[in-house]
Amino acid sequence: MGTLLNFTRLIDTISRFFGKMVIWLVLASTVISAANAIARKAFNVGSNAFLEIQWYLFAAVFLLGAGYTFLKNAHVRIDVLASKLSMRTRTYIDIVGIVVFLLPMCWFMIQFSWPVVVGAYQSGEVSSNAGGLIRWPVYALVPGGFALLGLQGLSELIKRFAFLQGAGPNPLLQGGDDGDQAEQDHQPDQSAGETQK
């Protein structure tokens, strides 16, 4: 289990990198949007490329940040129901959700979208709007984003099995992220106690 947990730390590091990178994409999108609006209103100058790059950046934030969101346990949950269940039961539910729904969906989306990326790259597909951008980079965000989400799903699956075996902390309590050592130091007793439930 130790080797697998080391593997999860590598995946978590990758997810943290992309999670922090997309913050800058939000800033870039905001700056481009503001500059585009000022240019249109003040100078009557605009470009479809500026509009499309905002869409590209917006897509990148959500697709590349999905794995980081899972790492931080910030995804949508039905807390009203989950709060009534024991940590072990919630962990089993997460395992089923990851294995039955998340990982197959990620695989399907990668398989489905990759030929579209290759086709757009080979054909040099460009937006039909005047001055629009090439399309394959934004198409590539789909398999890339789902690959990152799938990797993080694998990491979370390993961490949940480790918790059930008493070999790791409870990822539901820690936000799934053991990168913050201070947070980890405050959790062992609590997670160990939860293992018995």
Side-chain angles (χ1 to χ4, degrees):
M1 186 57 76
T3 302
L4 290 174
L5 287 173
N6 286 336
F7 179 60
T8 68
R9 290 187 190 97
L10 174 62
I11 295 173
D12 292 353
T13 299
I14 294 169
S15 291
R16 277 192 295 274
F17 170 79
F18 280 98
K20 291 175 181 176
M21 181 189 72
V22 297
I23 294 171
W24 295 104
L25 299 183
V26 172
L27 176 62
S29 180
T30 304
V31 170
I32 291 169
S33 177
N36 192 34
I38 292 169
R40 283 180 184 272
K41 296 295 183 183
F43 306 107
N44 200 26
V45 174
S47 167
N48 285 325
F50 283 130
L51 291 174
E52 291 185 8
I53 195 66
Q54 292 172 57
W55 304 337
Y56 284 24
L57 292 173
F58 189 73
V61 167
F62 282 92
L63 288 166
L64 301 181
Y68 181 70
T69 302
F70 195 11
L71 170 67
K72 302 304 275 185
N73 258 330
H75 54 291
V76 175
R77 289 183 180 273
I78 306 174
D79 290 331
V80 174
L81 298 177
S83 63
K84 300 180 187 307
L85 304 173
S86 71
M87 284 295 179
R88 288 185 69 82
T89 302
R90 290 170 64 183
T91 301
Y92 281 119
I93 291 171
D94 272 7
I95 288 171
V96 170
I98 292 168
V99 172
V100 175
F101 298 106
L102 178 69
L103 293 178
M105 181 195 67
C106 289
W107 179 253
F108 171 78
M109 291 301 295
I110 292 167
Q111 289 287 98
F112 179 77
S113 61
W114 184 248
V116 177
V117 177
V118 173
Y121 177 78
Q122 290 176 341
S123 67
E125 182 181 345
V126 177
S127 168
S128 59
N129 297 317
L133 302 176
I134 55 173
R135 287 293 175 94
W136 72 263
V138 74
Y139 292 163
L141 290 172
V142 176
F146 278 98
L148 291 171
L149 180 58
L151 275 175
Q152 191 58 49
L154 186 59
S155 172
E156 297 304 316
L157 184 65
I158 294 167
K159 285 186 268 187
R160 279 153 179 76
F161 276 118
F163 165 67
L164 291 173
Q165 294 177 6
N170 185 347
L172 295 175
L173 293 178
Q174 293 193 321
D177 185 3
D178 65 354
D180 185 352
Q181 189 64 44
E183 184 181 18
Q184 186 175 4
D185 291 342
H186 288 88
Q187 294 292 346
D189 293 336
Q190 189 176 9
S191 59
E194 291 289 354
T195 307
Q196 306 305 319
K197 290 187 179 180

